[in-house]
Each structure stands twice: as C-alpha cells, then as structure tokens.
Amino acid sequence: MIPATLHQLKVFETAARHGSFTKAAAELSITQPTVSGQIKQLTQTIGMPLFEHIGRKLYLTEAGTELLSTCQNVFEQLDNFEMKLAALQGAKRGQLRLGVITTTKYFVPRILGEFCQSYPNIDVSLQVINHQKLHDRMADNKDDLYILSNLPGDLEVHSEAFLDNPLVVVARADHPLANKKNIPIAALEGVDFISREMGSGTRRAVEKLFGENDVSVQVRLELGSNEAIKQAIAGGLGISVLSRHTLITEPPNGELTVLDVKHFPIKREWYVAHLAGKQLSVIAAAFLEFMLKSSQTTIENSSRRSLALQA
Ligand code: PGA
C-alpha cells in the first residue's frame, strides 16, 4: 500500500480541485509552502509527477487524474461513514447533495423543506441546471441524487419515475388561439416562439415533436430560464412550451394560459436517479424514500389554486 497520509491526500485533492496551490492553502487554512511541501512528499511516495506547470497554469498528469478520482472516492466513503456514525448516535447529521433540473425548482424546495423538518441538522447543496449540465455532473459523480426527465444514455444509473412532467403550450391570455379547442399543431406554423437554450431537455422534446410534424415556428428569443420565458410571453414576445410545473406559481385567471394544441401535452416523467454502484449515504437514502413517498401530495398541495392544476 502507498504510505500516503490522509492529510497529504486532502491537500492534493483540494489543490487539484482548484487547480491552484494558493487557493488550496486558503481553503485549508495552511500556508502555500505547506501545500507545496505536502504535494512534493506525496509525489515522492508515489514516484510519478502529479501536476505539471505549463505557463502559469497547473494541470493534472495522468497519475494525478487517477489519484484525484481515488481521493474523491475515499473522502466520499469517509463522509458516508461519518453520517452512519451520526445516525447510529441518533444525530441525523450530514450533507445532502442534489443535482436537479431547472423546472424542479417549482417543487423540490417544498419537498426539501418538509424533509428538513425531520432532519434539521443536515446541510443541503442544490444545483439547479439544465439537462446537459446535469448529465456532465452525473458523469463526474458530483452529487448524491439527481432529479431529471431525460436519463443519460451513456451512464449506468438507477432511476425511479415518481411524477408526470407534461410539457404544455403557454401563451398570453389574449392570444388569438386562447380558448380554442383541439387546435391542430399545424396552426403553430410561423408563430413567434420563445425557445429554451441549447442543452435544455424541454427544447429537445419540442424540436423533436415539431420536426415529426413538419412545423416550423419563428424563434424570436432564446432564454435559459423558465421564469424569464413566462415574462417574455406576458410581454407579448410569443408563445412557448414549458413544463406544467412552471405554472404552479400562476393564478388560474392571470396573464398566461395553456393552449389546447393537439399532440400536447408532451408526456414525460420525472425520475429520481443515482449512479449505479453509488453507495448512498444515510441522508441520501432517507431523502430518496421521502421523495418517492410524499412528492405527489406536496406538489398537488402547492398546485391547488394555480393554473397548473386547471391546465
Ligand atoms: P430542461 O428540463 O431545463 O433541461 O429544459 C426541463 C424539463 O425537463 O422539464
């Protein structure tokens, strides 16, 4: 076994994560020469260089990259052990790292709020991003659990569907197609449309459906936020397709409405997923169970008196 100390591995992992000895020193509250010294000793023990300096930049060598992923596994296991110990002592402490898709911000914080009443001492990190970025985080094993609609094709994951995620056509309440029934999808030909950004799962689903039905809309604006899209619709810039969950905060007779277009809603589901082989921490396993049990009721309660439930 390589006789490296845990401290050396921590110093290395921090420096590799930041790509900087100075930042590692600041995070660990030690001096920069201490960081260099620890990494020098570790390099000697391993017998291969871990970093290379090119210009003013610091890069990991192949051995460094391997060591970084080993360190991340070791520290994750140690964190899990600490949480198990805390659970054995009845303390329910630890960290919960969640990676979630943009639209889930309309309900995940509510579920988290309820969960945290039973686990008041946990730290939660919540990354709210689009599908492309979430798949990248999954590939890097950055979080405990992920909530998403499109599962990555190239990673082995365990997933459970827990809720529908229908995509609907949203327009301003005074749009000429509002209140019409069974609108043929061809009626959307040439309409002013507000699209989500590249990498968005919503955008992919919409482009697929329009492509299959030979419909070309006029993209007036591309926005990376569902809330900004709702404002743009209200501002009269066009219609869009959004998850019905984004309407949870909209009153039934407000500025926005859902158009009754054929082929809509696009049917999708929300999954809660984790990498296959991932050892879930006590907290993550508890959250997973809680999510599967109570999400439906929490979301129905928050949708009551909103456009989402009427749509
Ligand atoms: P997106 O996903 O943020 O990647 O578009 C949203 C959704 O699936 O509803």
Side-chain angles (χ1 to χ4, degrees):
M1 232 191 30
I2 296 173
T5 66
L6 262 185
H7 181 59
Q8 285 169 350
L9 294 179
K10 188 73 210 157
V11 171
F12 165 76
E13 187 270 334
T14 314
R17 188 161 29 84
H18 287 295
S20 152
F21 286 11
T22 317
K23 286 187 184 152
E27 180 177 320
L28 298 170
S29 307
I30 54 179
T31 63
Q32 207 257 356
T34 310
V35 172
S36 311
Q38 291 291 312
I39 287 178
K40 194 164 165 206
Q41 278 178 25
L42 185 61
T43 308
Q44 279 164 359
T45 311
I46 286 175
M48 286 177 90
L50 300 169
F51 289 105
E52 46 198 16
H53 293 267
I54 298 175
R56 295 173 59 100
K57 276 196 148 179
L58 195 61
Y59 294 91
L60 281 175
T61 60
E62 211 177 321
T65 307
E66 282 301 323
L67 183 61
L68 176 61
S69 90
T70 307
C71 286
Q72 283 167 340
N73 287 338
V74 168
F75 292 126
E76 190 177 316
Q77 292 300 324
L78 283 173
D79 278 350
N80 282 351
F81 172 68
E82 255 181 55
M83 281 193 241
K84 280 187 187 144
L85 211 58
L88 286 176
Q89 292 161 345
K92 295 179 178 173
R93 280 177 208 289
Q95 232 215 341
L96 175 64
R97 285 167 300 221
L98 297 177
V100 307
I101 288 297
T102 55
T103 314
T104 67
K105 77 168 184 205
Y106 294 94
F107 59 89
V108 167
R110 291 167 200 260
I111 297 171
L112 259 177
E114 283 187 24
F115 178 72
C116 288
Q117 286 180 2
S118 317
Y119 290 80
N121 295 320
I122 60 166
D123 295 326
V124 182
S125 121
L126 183 65
Q127 300 292 326
V128 185
I129 44 189
N130 76 17
H131 270 96
Q132 185 54 56
K133 292 189 183 133
L134 197 75
H135 289 178
D136 292 347
R137 284 187 76 84
M138 286 179 104
D140 292 340
N141 185 21
K142 287 261 169 57
D143 310 284
D144 299 314
L145 293 169
Y146 302 89
I147 301 176
L148 72 174
S149 270
N150 302 348
L151 294 167
D154 54 347
L155 292 174
E156 244 194 274
V157 293
H158 278 300
S159 63
E160 290 200 54
F162 66 95
L163 193 69
D164 291 340
N165 178 23
L167 300 182
V168 294
V169 185
V170 184
R172 201 159 81 164
D174 60 0
H175 192 277
L177 296 175
N179 303 320
K180 294 230 159 73
K181 293 272 163 241
N182 272 327
I183 304 163
I185 193 166
L188 300 187
E189 180 68 31
V191 292
D192 287 342
F193 194 82
I194 305 154
S195 170
R196 281 285 306 273
E197 78 290 3
M198 284 292 280
S200 143
T202 312
R203 174 172 171 150
R204 221 170 65 181
V206 172
E207 285 181 348
K208 182 163 173 277
L209 181 69
F210 285 168
E212 284 164 1
N213 290 279
D214 268 336
V215 170
S216 328
V217 288
Q218 183 69 39
V219 177
R220 293 267 315 262
L221 194 61
E222 204 176 291
L223 292 171
S225 137
N226 295 315
E227 260 331 280
I229 289 185
K230 288 191 327 192
Q231 291 304 322
I233 298 171
L237 286 164
I239 64 167
S240 189
V241 173
L242 295 171
S243 164
R244 185 171 279 166
H245 296 292
T246 63
L247 305 175
I248 277 180
T249 46
E250 298 301 316
N253 294 313
E255 286 179 298
L256 303 182
T257 189
V258 172
L259 298 185
D260 181 17
V261 180
K262 281 194 197 153
H263 299 287
F264 285 92
I266 302 177
K267 291 204 167 66
R268 299 158 83 220
E269 285 182 305
W270 287 119
Y271 296 94
V272 53
H274 60 84
L275 292 176
K278 171 109 180 159
Q279 268 236 302
L280 286 187
S281 67
V282 178
I283 303 287
F287 183 71
L288 176 61
E289 200 188 317
F290 184 83
M291 192 68 236
L292 295 173
K293 233 179 23 210
S294 60
S295 51
Q296 185 83 36
T297 344
T298 308
I299 293 158
E300 271 169 17
N301 286 344
S302 42
S303 308
R304 233 171 273 289
R305 290 188 306 279
S306 84
L307 177 58
L309 207 67
Q310 309 229 324

